[in-house]
Short mmCIF file of all heavy atoms in Angstrom, two decimals:
data_model
loop_
_atom_site.label_atom_id
_atom_site.label_comp_id
_atom_site.label_asym_id
_atom_site.label_seq_id
_atom_site.Cartn_x
_atom_site.Cartn_y
_atom_site.Cartn_z
N ARG Q 74 15.21 4.72 -30.32
CA ARG Q 74 15.98 4.06 -29.28
C ARG Q 74 15.08 3.34 -28.34
O ARG Q 74 14.14 3.88 -27.86
CB ARG Q 74 16.82 5.18 -28.54
CG ARG Q 74 17.52 4.72 -27.34
CD ARG Q 74 18.23 5.84 -26.72
NE ARG Q 74 18.36 5.44 -25.37
CZ ARG Q 74 18.58 6.28 -24.33
NH1 ARG Q 74 18.64 7.48 -24.64
NH2 ARG Q 74 18.79 5.79 -23.14
N THR Q 75 15.50 2.11 -28.02
CA THR Q 75 14.67 1.36 -26.96
C THR Q 75 15.35 1.59 -25.62
O THR Q 75 16.51 1.83 -25.39
CB THR Q 75 14.78 -0.16 -27.26
OG1 THR Q 75 16.13 -0.61 -27.27
CG2 THR Q 75 14.15 -0.56 -28.61
N ASP Q 76 14.55 1.53 -24.59
CA ASP Q 76 14.97 1.69 -23.23
C ASP Q 76 15.32 0.41 -22.60
O ASP Q 76 14.88 0.04 -21.54
CB ASP Q 76 13.85 2.31 -22.40
CG ASP Q 76 14.07 3.72 -22.07
OD1 ASP Q 76 15.29 4.33 -22.26
OD2 ASP Q 76 13.15 4.47 -21.50
N GLN Q 77 16.26 -0.27 -23.11
CA GLN Q 77 16.74 -1.54 -22.65
C GLN Q 77 17.54 -1.28 -21.36
O GLN Q 77 17.50 -2.15 -20.41
CB GLN Q 77 17.58 -2.31 -23.61
CG GLN Q 77 16.62 -2.64 -24.83
CD GLN Q 77 16.95 -4.09 -25.30
OE1 GLN Q 77 17.74 -4.75 -24.78
NE2 GLN Q 77 16.05 -4.54 -26.02
N GLY Q 78 18.25 -0.31 -21.17
CA GLY Q 78 19.11 -0.04 -20.02
C GLY Q 78 18.37 0.95 -19.07
O GLY Q 78 18.90 2.09 -18.85
N LYS Q 79 17.19 0.54 -18.64
CA LYS Q 79 16.53 1.37 -17.71
C LYS Q 79 17.34 1.86 -16.38
O LYS Q 79 18.35 1.17 -16.17
CB LYS Q 79 15.23 0.64 -17.19
CG LYS Q 79 14.23 0.37 -18.15
CD LYS Q 79 12.96 -0.19 -17.58
CE LYS Q 79 11.88 -0.33 -18.72
NZ LYS Q 79 10.68 -0.89 -18.10
N ASP Q 80 16.94 2.84 -15.81
CA ASP Q 80 17.73 3.53 -14.76
C ASP Q 80 18.13 2.27 -13.81
O ASP Q 80 17.19 1.63 -13.18
CB ASP Q 80 16.90 4.54 -14.18
CG ASP Q 80 17.53 5.21 -13.05
OD1 ASP Q 80 18.80 5.04 -13.03
OD2 ASP Q 80 16.94 5.93 -12.38
N PRO Q 81 19.32 2.04 -13.42
CA PRO Q 81 19.68 1.01 -12.50
C PRO Q 81 19.16 1.30 -11.12
O PRO Q 81 18.89 0.36 -10.41
CB PRO Q 81 21.18 1.07 -12.58
CG PRO Q 81 21.64 1.94 -13.61
CD PRO Q 81 20.39 2.74 -14.01
N LEU Q 82 19.03 2.52 -10.72
CA LEU Q 82 18.44 2.85 -9.45
C LEU Q 82 17.01 2.44 -9.23
O LEU Q 82 16.62 1.91 -8.33
CB LEU Q 82 18.51 4.42 -9.16
CG LEU Q 82 18.09 4.84 -7.81
CD1 LEU Q 82 18.83 4.23 -6.68
CD2 LEU Q 82 18.08 6.36 -7.75
N MET Q 83 16.30 2.63 -10.37
CA MET Q 83 14.86 2.10 -10.35
C MET Q 83 14.71 0.61 -10.34
O MET Q 83 13.89 0.08 -9.56
CB MET Q 83 14.15 2.61 -11.56
CG MET Q 83 13.83 4.20 -11.56
SD MET Q 83 12.98 4.68 -10.06
CE MET Q 83 11.41 4.00 -10.40
N LYS Q 84 15.63 -0.05 -10.94
CA LYS Q 84 15.79 -1.50 -10.96
C LYS Q 84 16.06 -1.95 -9.49
O LYS Q 84 15.40 -2.89 -8.95
CB LYS Q 84 16.74 -2.05 -11.85
CG LYS Q 84 16.24 -2.13 -13.31
CD LYS Q 84 17.35 -2.85 -14.16
CE LYS Q 84 16.82 -2.90 -15.53
NZ LYS Q 84 17.92 -3.51 -16.41
N ALA Q 85 17.06 -1.38 -8.90
CA ALA Q 85 17.43 -1.70 -7.54
C ALA Q 85 16.23 -1.51 -6.54
O ALA Q 85 15.94 -2.28 -5.66
CB ALA Q 85 18.65 -0.94 -7.10
N LEU Q 86 15.56 -0.34 -6.73
CA LEU Q 86 14.45 0.04 -5.74
C LEU Q 86 13.39 -1.03 -5.92
O LEU Q 86 12.69 -1.36 -5.01
CB LEU Q 86 14.02 1.36 -6.04
CG LEU Q 86 14.84 2.58 -5.44
CD1 LEU Q 86 14.27 3.83 -5.84
CD2 LEU Q 86 14.99 2.38 -4.01
N SER Q 87 13.06 -1.40 -7.22
CA SER Q 87 11.98 -2.38 -7.51
C SER Q 87 12.35 -3.78 -6.85
O SER Q 87 11.46 -4.41 -6.25
CB SER Q 87 11.83 -2.48 -9.06
OG SER Q 87 11.46 -1.31 -9.57
N ILE Q 88 13.55 -4.09 -6.95
CA ILE Q 88 13.88 -5.41 -6.35
C ILE Q 88 13.85 -5.29 -4.77
O ILE Q 88 13.36 -6.26 -4.20
CB ILE Q 88 15.41 -5.77 -6.75
CG1 ILE Q 88 15.31 -6.16 -8.34
CG2 ILE Q 88 16.00 -7.03 -6.00
CD1 ILE Q 88 16.72 -6.28 -8.99
N ILE Q 89 14.29 -4.22 -4.26
CA ILE Q 89 14.25 -4.03 -2.83
C ILE Q 89 12.78 -4.11 -2.38
O ILE Q 89 12.47 -4.77 -1.38
CB ILE Q 89 14.90 -2.80 -2.28
CG1 ILE Q 89 16.43 -2.89 -2.58
CG2 ILE Q 89 14.52 -2.32 -0.93
CD1 ILE Q 89 17.12 -1.60 -2.39
N ILE Q 90 11.93 -3.32 -2.92
CA ILE Q 90 10.37 -3.45 -2.73
C ILE Q 90 9.91 -4.79 -2.84
O ILE Q 90 9.13 -5.27 -1.98
CB ILE Q 90 9.65 -2.42 -3.49
CG1 ILE Q 90 10.01 -0.93 -3.07
CG2 ILE Q 90 8.14 -2.52 -3.35
CD1 ILE Q 90 9.57 0.13 -4.03
N LEU Q 91 10.28 -5.59 -3.87
CA LEU Q 91 9.77 -6.88 -4.14
C LEU Q 91 10.14 -7.77 -2.88
O LEU Q 91 9.33 -8.46 -2.32
CB LEU Q 91 10.30 -7.47 -5.44
CG LEU Q 91 9.84 -8.90 -5.67
CD1 LEU Q 91 8.41 -9.05 -5.78
CD2 LEU Q 91 10.63 -9.40 -6.95
N ILE Q 92 11.46 -7.66 -2.43
CA ILE Q 92 11.89 -8.55 -1.42
C ILE Q 92 11.21 -8.05 -0.07
O ILE Q 92 10.90 -9.10 0.60
CB ILE Q 92 13.45 -8.37 -1.31
CG1 ILE Q 92 14.18 -8.92 -2.37
CG2 ILE Q 92 14.00 -8.99 0.09
CD1 ILE Q 92 15.66 -8.63 -2.51
N LEU Q 93 10.96 -6.89 0.19
CA LEU Q 93 10.32 -6.45 1.35
C LEU Q 93 8.87 -6.87 1.36
O LEU Q 93 8.21 -7.25 2.44
CB LEU Q 93 10.41 -4.96 1.59
CG LEU Q 93 11.74 -4.39 1.93
CD1 LEU Q 93 11.75 -2.87 1.95
CD2 LEU Q 93 12.14 -5.12 3.29
N ASP Q 94 8.16 -6.82 0.17
CA ASP Q 94 6.85 -7.30 -0.05
C ASP Q 94 6.72 -8.81 0.35
O ASP Q 94 5.86 -9.27 1.10
CB ASP Q 94 6.27 -6.97 -1.29
CG ASP Q 94 5.79 -5.65 -1.44
OD1 ASP Q 94 5.65 -4.85 -0.49
OD2 ASP Q 94 5.59 -5.15 -2.61
N ILE Q 95 7.69 -9.59 -0.16
CA ILE Q 95 7.70 -11.03 0.15
C ILE Q 95 7.83 -11.26 1.61
O ILE Q 95 7.16 -12.11 2.25
CB ILE Q 95 8.78 -11.80 -0.65
CG1 ILE Q 95 8.40 -11.71 -2.13
CG2 ILE Q 95 9.02 -13.14 -0.22
CD1 ILE Q 95 9.37 -12.15 -3.08
N PHE Q 96 8.71 -10.50 2.37
CA PHE Q 96 8.96 -10.50 3.74
C PHE Q 96 7.65 -10.24 4.45
O PHE Q 96 7.33 -10.96 5.39
CB PHE Q 96 10.04 -9.60 4.15
CG PHE Q 96 10.29 -9.44 5.56
CD1 PHE Q 96 10.88 -10.45 6.34
CD2 PHE Q 96 9.66 -8.30 6.37
CE1 PHE Q 96 11.06 -10.29 7.71
CE2 PHE Q 96 9.92 -8.21 7.63
CZ PHE Q 96 10.52 -9.26 8.33
N ALA Q 97 7.00 -9.15 3.96
CA ALA Q 97 5.69 -8.81 4.69
C ALA Q 97 4.64 -9.78 4.59
O ALA Q 97 4.00 -10.24 5.51
CB ALA Q 97 5.17 -7.49 4.06
N ILE Q 98 4.57 -10.50 3.41
CA ILE Q 98 3.54 -11.60 3.19
C ILE Q 98 3.91 -12.68 4.00
O ILE Q 98 3.06 -13.31 4.65
CB ILE Q 98 3.47 -11.94 1.69
CG1 ILE Q 98 2.86 -10.81 0.94
CG2 ILE Q 98 2.71 -13.28 1.55
CD1 ILE Q 98 3.00 -10.98 -0.60
N VAL Q 99 5.23 -13.11 4.18
CA VAL Q 99 5.58 -14.29 5.03
C VAL Q 99 5.14 -13.85 6.54
O VAL Q 99 4.63 -14.74 7.14
CB VAL Q 99 6.94 -14.56 4.93
CG1 VAL Q 99 7.43 -15.49 6.01
CG2 VAL Q 99 7.31 -15.10 3.51
N LYS Q 100 5.47 -12.72 6.94
CA LYS Q 100 5.11 -12.31 8.40
C LYS Q 100 3.74 -12.25 8.59
O LYS Q 100 3.33 -12.66 9.62
CB LYS Q 100 5.76 -10.91 8.68
CG LYS Q 100 7.29 -11.02 8.84
CD LYS Q 100 7.63 -11.92 9.92
CE LYS Q 100 8.90 -11.56 10.54
NZ LYS Q 100 9.17 -12.40 11.72
N ILE Q 101 2.90 -11.82 7.63
CA ILE Q 101 1.39 -11.79 7.68
C ILE Q 101 0.95 -13.26 7.90
O ILE Q 101 0.08 -13.51 8.72
CB ILE Q 101 0.80 -11.22 6.47
CG1 ILE Q 101 1.07 -9.65 6.45
CG2 ILE Q 101 -0.71 -11.29 6.44
CD1 ILE Q 101 0.84 -8.88 5.13
N LEU Q 102 1.44 -14.18 7.10
CA LEU Q 102 0.94 -15.56 7.05
C LEU Q 102 1.39 -16.15 8.45
O LEU Q 102 0.53 -16.99 8.98
CB LEU Q 102 1.53 -16.28 6.01
CG LEU Q 102 1.05 -16.07 4.63
CD1 LEU Q 102 1.71 -16.66 3.58
CD2 LEU Q 102 -0.41 -16.41 4.52
N GLN Q 103 2.42 -15.75 8.94
CA GLN Q 103 2.91 -16.26 10.26
C GLN Q 103 2.27 -15.55 11.44
O GLN Q 103 2.39 -16.21 12.70
CB GLN Q 103 4.39 -16.12 10.44
CG GLN Q 103 5.26 -16.97 9.53
CD GLN Q 103 6.70 -16.61 9.57
OE1 GLN Q 103 7.19 -15.70 10.24
NE2 GLN Q 103 7.55 -17.47 9.09
N SER Q 104 1.49 -14.55 11.36
CA SER Q 104 0.97 -13.79 12.41
C SER Q 104 -0.21 -14.69 12.99
O SER Q 104 -0.81 -15.54 12.41
CB SER Q 104 0.47 -12.46 12.08
OG SER Q 104 -0.73 -12.48 11.18
N GLY Q 105 -0.75 -14.29 14.08
CA GLY Q 105 -1.90 -14.91 14.72
C GLY Q 105 -3.17 -14.34 14.37
O GLY Q 105 -4.19 -14.64 14.95
N ALA Q 106 -3.21 -13.48 13.36
CA ALA Q 106 -4.41 -12.89 12.86
C ALA Q 106 -5.46 -13.88 12.26
O ALA Q 106 -4.99 -14.99 11.83
CB ALA Q 106 -4.17 -11.82 11.74
N GLU Q 107 -6.68 -13.50 12.11
CA GLU Q 107 -7.67 -14.39 11.56
C GLU Q 107 -7.43 -14.48 10.02
O GLU Q 107 -6.92 -13.56 9.42
CB GLU Q 107 -9.01 -13.80 11.92
CG GLU Q 107 -9.44 -13.76 13.31
CD GLU Q 107 -9.66 -15.25 13.91
OE1 GLU Q 107 -10.12 -16.20 13.12
OE2 GLU Q 107 -9.19 -15.52 15.00
N VAL Q 108 -7.87 -15.46 9.43
CA VAL Q 108 -7.57 -15.76 7.98
C VAL Q 108 -8.17 -14.54 7.14
O VAL Q 108 -7.46 -14.04 6.26
CB VAL Q 108 -8.17 -17.12 7.50
CG1 VAL Q 108 -8.10 -17.22 6.04
CG2 VAL Q 108 -7.49 -18.22 8.16
N PRO Q 109 -9.36 -14.15 7.29
CA PRO Q 109 -9.84 -12.87 6.55
C PRO Q 109 -8.97 -11.66 6.68
O PRO Q 109 -8.71 -11.03 5.64
CB PRO Q 109 -11.29 -12.61 7.06
CG PRO Q 109 -11.70 -13.97 7.65
CD PRO Q 109 -10.46 -14.61 8.29
N GLN Q 110 -8.40 -11.49 7.86
CA GLN Q 110 -7.67 -10.24 8.04
C GLN Q 110 -6.39 -10.45 7.33
O GLN Q 110 -5.76 -9.57 6.78
CB GLN Q 110 -7.40 -10.02 9.62
CG GLN Q 110 -6.56 -8.87 9.85
CD GLN Q 110 -6.37 -8.64 11.38
OE1 GLN Q 110 -6.63 -9.56 12.19
NE2 GLN Q 110 -6.00 -7.50 11.77
N LYS Q 111 -5.77 -11.64 7.37
CA LYS Q 111 -4.53 -11.94 6.67
C LYS Q 111 -4.71 -11.80 5.17
O LYS Q 111 -3.82 -11.21 4.53
CB LYS Q 111 -4.18 -13.44 6.96
CG LYS Q 111 -3.47 -13.61 8.30
CD LYS Q 111 -3.07 -15.14 8.40
CE LYS Q 111 -2.60 -15.50 9.83
NZ LYS Q 111 -2.10 -16.81 9.78
N ALA Q 112 -5.86 -12.20 4.69
CA ALA Q 112 -6.19 -12.16 3.24
C ALA Q 112 -6.22 -10.79 2.83
O ALA Q 112 -5.75 -10.30 1.72
CB ALA Q 112 -7.49 -12.90 2.90
N LEU Q 113 -6.84 -9.83 3.53
CA LEU Q 113 -6.94 -8.46 3.34
C LEU Q 113 -5.57 -7.78 3.25
O LEU Q 113 -5.28 -6.96 2.35
CB LEU Q 113 -7.87 -7.77 4.20
CG LEU Q 113 -9.43 -7.96 4.07
CD1 LEU Q 113 -10.13 -7.39 5.11
CD2 LEU Q 113 -9.85 -7.54 2.80
N TRP Q 114 -4.78 -8.12 4.30
CA TRP Q 114 -3.52 -7.52 4.34
C TRP Q 114 -2.65 -8.02 3.09
O TRP Q 114 -1.89 -7.19 2.59
CB TRP Q 114 -2.84 -7.70 5.61
CG TRP Q 114 -3.12 -6.81 6.65
CD1 TRP Q 114 -4.06 -7.08 7.80
CD2 TRP Q 114 -2.85 -5.49 6.80
NE1 TRP Q 114 -4.14 -5.95 8.47
CE2 TRP Q 114 -3.48 -4.88 7.97
CE3 TRP Q 114 -2.01 -4.48 5.98
CZ2 TRP Q 114 -3.33 -3.62 8.33
CZ3 TRP Q 114 -1.99 -3.24 6.45
CH2 TRP Q 114 -2.59 -2.79 7.54
N ILE Q 115 -2.71 -9.24 2.76
CA ILE Q 115 -1.93 -9.71 1.71
C ILE Q 115 -2.29 -9.10 0.28
O ILE Q 115 -1.51 -8.61 -0.50
CB ILE Q 115 -1.92 -11.28 1.57
CG1 ILE Q 115 -1.21 -11.96 2.79
CG2 ILE Q 115 -1.47 -11.82 0.21
CD1 ILE Q 115 -1.34 -13.31 2.94
N ALA Q 116 -3.60 -9.00 0.15
CA ALA Q 116 -4.17 -8.29 -0.95
C ALA Q 116 -3.70 -6.85 -1.11
O ALA Q 116 -3.40 -6.34 -2.21
CB ALA Q 116 -5.74 -8.36 -0.98
N LEU Q 117 -3.70 -6.13 0.05
CA LEU Q 117 -3.15 -4.81 0.14
C LEU Q 117 -1.73 -4.67 -0.37
O LEU Q 117 -1.30 -3.79 -1.10
CB LEU Q 117 -3.47 -4.15 1.45
CG LEU Q 117 -3.14 -2.66 1.55
CD1 LEU Q 117 -4.02 -1.87 0.71
CD2 LEU Q 117 -3.13 -2.27 3.12
N VAL Q 118 -0.97 -5.60 0.17
CA VAL Q 118 0.58 -5.48 -0.18
C VAL Q 118 0.72 -5.82 -1.60
O VAL Q 118 1.64 -5.28 -2.22
CB VAL Q 118 1.29 -6.53 0.73
CG1 VAL Q 118 2.72 -6.75 0.42
CG2 VAL Q 118 1.28 -5.93 2.24
N VAL Q 119 -0.05 -6.76 -2.21
CA VAL Q 119 0.09 -7.17 -3.56
C VAL Q 119 -0.46 -6.14 -4.46
O VAL Q 119 0.24 -5.88 -5.51
CB VAL Q 119 -0.63 -8.59 -3.84
CG1 VAL Q 119 -0.63 -8.89 -5.27
CG2 VAL Q 119 0.08 -9.80 -3.11
N ILE Q 120 -1.59 -5.57 -4.22
CA ILE Q 120 -2.17 -4.57 -5.06
C ILE Q 120 -1.51 -3.23 -5.10
O ILE Q 120 -1.26 -2.59 -6.01
CB ILE Q 120 -3.67 -4.45 -4.82
CG1 ILE Q 120 -4.46 -5.62 -5.18
CG2 ILE Q 120 -4.26 -3.21 -5.59
CD1 ILE Q 120 -5.75 -5.72 -4.63
N LEU Q 121 -1.01 -2.79 -3.85
CA LEU Q 121 -0.35 -1.55 -3.66
C LEU Q 121 0.97 -1.80 -3.00
O LEU Q 121 1.18 -1.69 -1.77
CB LEU Q 121 -1.17 -0.49 -2.90
CG LEU Q 121 -2.48 -0.28 -3.27
CD1 LEU Q 121 -3.34 0.45 -2.24
CD2 LEU Q 121 -2.38 0.59 -4.53
N PRO Q 122 2.01 -2.26 -3.70
CA PRO Q 122 3.26 -2.75 -3.09
C PRO Q 122 3.90 -1.90 -2.11
O PRO Q 122 4.17 -2.22 -1.02
CB PRO Q 122 4.21 -3.07 -4.28
CG PRO Q 122 3.17 -3.31 -5.45
CD PRO Q 122 2.03 -2.40 -5.16
N LEU Q 123 4.13 -0.58 -2.53
CA LEU Q 123 4.89 0.34 -1.59
C LEU Q 123 3.92 0.85 -0.47
O LEU Q 123 4.39 0.67 0.73
CB LEU Q 123 5.50 1.52 -2.35
CG LEU Q 123 6.32 2.51 -1.58
CD1 LEU Q 123 7.49 1.77 -0.93
CD2 LEU Q 123 6.86 3.58 -2.46
N LEU Q 124 2.69 1.37 -0.83
CA LEU Q 124 1.83 1.91 0.20
C LEU Q 124 1.32 0.73 1.02
O LEU Q 124 1.24 0.94 2.27
CB LEU Q 124 0.60 2.46 -0.51
CG LEU Q 124 -0.41 3.05 0.57
CD1 LEU Q 124 0.23 4.20 1.28
CD2 LEU Q 124 -1.53 3.67 -0.31
N GLY Q 125 1.06 -0.39 0.48
CA GLY Q 125 0.73 -1.61 1.38
C GLY Q 125 1.80 -2.03 2.36
O GLY Q 125 1.45 -2.33 3.47
N LEU Q 126 2.97 -2.01 1.83
CA LEU Q 126 4.13 -2.32 2.75
C LEU Q 126 4.18 -1.36 3.87
O LEU Q 126 4.42 -1.76 5.02
CB LEU Q 126 5.40 -2.31 1.94
CG LEU Q 126 6.65 -2.70 2.57
CD1 LEU Q 126 6.66 -4.13 3.11
CD2 LEU Q 126 7.84 -2.50 1.72
N ILE Q 127 4.13 -0.10 3.63
CA ILE Q 127 4.23 1.04 4.66
C ILE Q 127 3.08 0.83 5.64
O ILE Q 127 3.30 0.80 6.88
CB ILE Q 127 4.29 2.36 4.02
CG1 ILE Q 127 5.48 2.63 3.24
CG2 ILE Q 127 4.13 3.35 5.09
CD1 ILE Q 127 5.57 3.76 2.32
N LEU Q 128 1.83 0.62 5.20
CA LEU Q 128 0.65 0.53 6.02
C LEU Q 128 0.83 -0.80 6.87
O LEU Q 128 0.50 -0.76 8.13
CB LEU Q 128 -0.56 0.49 5.27
CG LEU Q 128 -1.09 1.72 4.52
CD1 LEU Q 128 -2.29 1.54 3.68
CD2 LEU Q 128 -1.34 2.83 5.64
N TRP Q 129 1.24 -1.85 6.30
CA TRP Q 129 1.40 -3.13 7.11
C TRP Q 129 2.44 -2.88 8.15
O TRP Q 129 2.25 -3.32 9.29
CB TRP Q 129 1.82 -4.32 6.17
CG TRP Q 129 2.35 -5.41 6.93
CD1 TRP Q 129 1.67 -6.36 7.54
CD2 TRP Q 129 3.86 -5.79 7.09
NE1 TRP Q 129 2.48 -7.19 8.24
CE2 TRP Q 129 3.81 -6.87 8.06
CE3 TRP Q 129 4.98 -5.15 6.72
CZ2 TRP Q 129 5.00 -7.45 8.42
CZ3 TRP Q 129 6.20 -5.77 7.12
CH2 TRP Q 129 6.09 -6.94 7.99
N ALA Q 130 3.62 -2.25 7.84
CA ALA Q 130 4.68 -2.02 8.78
C ALA Q 130 4.08 -1.22 10.04
O ALA Q 130 4.56 -1.50 11.09
CB ALA Q 130 5.76 -1.41 8.18
N LEU Q 131 3.21 -0.27 9.79
CA LEU Q 131 2.71 0.62 10.82
C LEU Q 131 1.47 -0.03 11.55
O LEU Q 131 1.38 0.14 12.79
CB LEU Q 131 2.29 1.92 10.23
CG LEU Q 131 3.52 2.77 9.63
CD1 LEU Q 131 2.83 4.07 8.99
CD2 LEU Q 131 4.50 3.10 10.68
N LEU Q 132 0.67 -0.84 10.82
CA LEU Q 132 -0.57 -1.15 11.45
C LEU Q 132 -0.92 -2.63 11.41
O LEU Q 132 -1.72 -3.12 12.06
CB LEU Q 132 -1.81 -0.51 10.77
CG LEU Q 132 -1.65 1.01 10.61
CD1 LEU Q 132 -2.72 1.63 9.61
CD2 LEU Q 132 -1.74 1.66 12.06
N GLY Q 133 -0.24 -3.42 10.56
CA GLY Q 133 -0.60 -4.75 10.17
C GLY Q 133 -0.20 -5.90 11.27
O GLY Q 133 0.71 -5.65 12.11
N PRO Q 134 -0.73 -7.04 11.00
CA PRO Q 134 -0.36 -8.23 11.79
C PRO Q 134 0.97 -8.68 11.41
O PRO Q 134 1.34 -8.78 10.42
CB PRO Q 134 -1.45 -9.22 11.48
CG PRO Q 134 -1.93 -8.94 10.10
CD PRO Q 134 -1.78 -7.38 9.96
N GLY Q 135 1.76 -9.03 12.48
CA GLY Q 135 3.03 -9.50 12.32
C GLY Q 135 4.11 -8.41 11.98
O GLY Q 135 5.22 -8.82 11.68
N SER Q 136 3.66 -7.17 12.07
CA SER Q 136 4.51 -6.10 11.73
C SER Q 136 5.78 -6.05 12.77
O SER Q 136 5.52 -6.01 13.90
CB SER Q 136 3.85 -4.79 11.78
OG SER Q 136 4.67 -3.77 11.79
N PRO Q 137 6.93 -5.91 12.28
CA PRO Q 137 8.14 -5.81 13.18
C PRO Q 137 8.14 -4.40 13.84
O PRO Q 137 8.73 -4.23 14.94
CB PRO Q 137 9.35 -5.95 12.19
CG PRO Q 137 8.86 -5.73 10.84
CD PRO Q 137 7.36 -5.98 10.84
N VAL Q 138 7.55 -3.36 13.23
CA VAL Q 138 7.48 -2.09 13.78
C VAL Q 138 6.49 -2.02 15.09
O VAL Q 138 6.79 -1.22 15.83
CB VAL Q 138 7.07 -1.02 12.69
CG1 VAL Q 138 6.93 0.33 13.18
CG2 VAL Q 138 8.20 -1.10 11.59
N LYS Q 139 5.47 -2.70 14.97
CA LYS Q 139 4.38 -2.69 16.01
C LYS Q 139 4.88 -3.37 17.25
O LYS Q 139 4.36 -3.04 18.34
CB LYS Q 139 3.19 -3.29 15.56
CG LYS Q 139 2.27 -2.50 14.76
CD LYS Q 139 0.90 -3.20 14.25
CE LYS Q 139 0.29 -3.87 15.35
NZ LYS Q 139 -1.03 -4.46 14.88
N LYS Q 140 5.85 -4.10 17.16
CA LYS Q 140 6.32 -4.95 18.53
C LYS Q 140 6.99 -3.98 19.47
O LYS Q 140 7.49 -3.00 19.42
CB LYS Q 140 7.27 -5.89 18.14
CG LYS Q 140 6.61 -7.12 17.30
CD LYS Q 140 7.51 -8.22 16.94
CE LYS Q 140 6.75 -9.35 16.21
NZ LYS Q 140 7.46 -10.34 15.76
#
């Protein structure tokens, strides 16, 4: 049996995380941080999507939580 009908909840969570990661990257790019700092944050969000998103929200440039 092939797993063509993967768990719909996992698909939904994956899509939500992807949308939030894109939002975070846009906010990072719009922030007033220096280019190397922006690059590091974007790399973190891309390499570790969920953990990077959480860390950015708590500590990163352009974070809506930090305001």
Side-chain angles (χ1 to χ4, degrees):
R74 171 181 156 202
T75 60
D76 248 353
Q77 297 226 348
K79 289 186 180 177
D80 186 11
L82 180 62
M83 289 305 291
K84 281 185 180 179
L86 286 174
S87 297
I88 291 169
I89 291 169
I90 291 171
L91 176 63
I92 291 168
L93 290 173
D94 282 344
I95 292 168
F96 172 78
I98 290 169
V99 168
K100 287 303 211 176
I101 292 166
L102 289 171
Q103 292 174 346
S104 76
E107 297 293 323
V108 173
Q110 186 180 10
K111 288 181 184 184
L113 287 173
W114 278 108
I115 290 171
L117 184 65
V118 169
V119 169
I120 294 169
L121 303 170
L123 183 58
L124 181 60
L126 181 64
I127 293 168
L128 290 173
W129 165 76
L131 296 174
L132 308 169
S136 163
V138 176
K139 277 178 51 174
K140 291 182 180 177

